Amino acid sequence: MKYDQQESERLIFRKLTEQDIPSWAEFFVNNDRLQFFNFDLSKSKEALAEEWIQIQLKRYQNNQFGHLAAELKTDGTFIGIAGLLPKQLKGKPEYEVAYSLKPAYWGKGYGTEMATCIKYFGFKNMDVKRLISMISFGNEASIKVAKKNGMQLLFDTEFEGELLHIFGIKC
């Protein structure tokens, strides 16, 4: 299975496009979890969405993994993003299972479903010893998803000026 053609019980995944910017901008509205991201919140929600998506498009061009759009199978609604992100952690290459949902879709199990699907892709298709999730202190919702995804707290560290929990699971 190709990275950008994954499916789970309720979701399908595809590469992000610039046409997703208006929809992804909804992530930045009434979202009390923005405090856990390193965003310049003086920018418009559209500008923030565009920056995020442009980063993924560059990753795709460089033949790297990146966030994918997660859509409901039932009607194609774009509800969030998830993917494997290449990281350098303590001088070693890692792959992060990363996920974010629009606020309207919180609390319905989609975060866990996205993260689990991405994790299984990594296990089946990559030669890595473990997968990680990097989570800001206090982000209880993401900690809950990581634990439901079979991950355990490995250690805490500073990464790009932020204190993070590093959750992980061995492959």
Side-chain angles (χ1 to χ4, degrees):
M1 175 187 321
K2 289 180 67 176
Y3 177 67
D4 61 343
Q5 296 176 348
Q6 298 176 69
E7 291 188 25
S8 63
E9 181 182 339
R10 299 178 292 171
L11 303 170
I12 57 173
F13 297 85
R14 63 165 174 80
K15 286 185 177 178
L16 290 158
T17 69
E18 289 181 346
Q19 287 72 38
D20 293 316
I21 293 169
S23 184
W24 187 235
E26 296 170 19
F27 175 77
F28 299 94
V29 178
N30 297 323
N31 185 339
D32 63 0
R33 297 180 190 157
L34 293 179
Q35 65 182 317
F36 301 120
F37 293 89
N38 191 16
F39 294 129
D40 178 354
L41 297 178
S42 69
K43 294 181 180 180
S44 72
K45 65 184 187 212
E46 292 82 7
L48 292 167
E50 181 175 6
E51 283 179 15
W52 195 327
I53 288 176
Q54 289 299 331
I55 290 169
Q56 308 323 307
L57 298 179
K58 286 178 185 160
R59 285 179 172 147
Y60 302 159
Q61 288 173 353
N62 293 328
N63 296 315
Q64 294 180 328
F65 296 107
H67 284 117
L68 299 171
E71 298 178 329
L72 296 176
K73 282 184 176 180
T74 54
D75 62 8
T77 301
F78 173 29
I79 66 164
I81 60 173
L84 290 166
L85 306 182
K87 301 284 182 163
Q88 283 289 327
L89 187 61
K90 295 188 172 190
K92 296 179 182 176
E94 299 273 5
Y95 281 93
E96 178 184 14
V97 175
Y99 38 86
S100 293
L101 277 170
K102 294 181 192 179
Y105 299 95
W106 292 348
K108 297 174 171 65
Y110 291 121
T112 301
E113 188 171 336
M114 292 187 320
T116 300
C117 185
I118 296 299
K119 173 188 75 176
Y120 283 131
F121 177 89
F123 283 170
K124 291 179 186 176
N125 298 283
M126 299 173 63
D127 183 24
V128 293
K129 293 183 176 159
R130 71 178 178 192
L131 295 171
I132 63 168
S133 285
M134 303 169 73
I135 303 172
S136 298
F137 284 31
N139 189 343
E140 296 302 323
S142 285
I143 290 169
K144 194 173 178 181
V145 169
K147 288 179 177 180
K148 286 183 178 181
N149 200 15
M151 294 185 167
Q152 297 178 340
L153 178 63
L154 302 176
F155 56 90
D156 295 334
T157 192
E158 185 176 334
F159 182 82
E160 297 179 355
E162 185 180 2
L163 290 174
L164 299 174
H165 297 299
I166 306 301
F167 280 78
I169 187 166
K170 291 184 180 181
C171 297

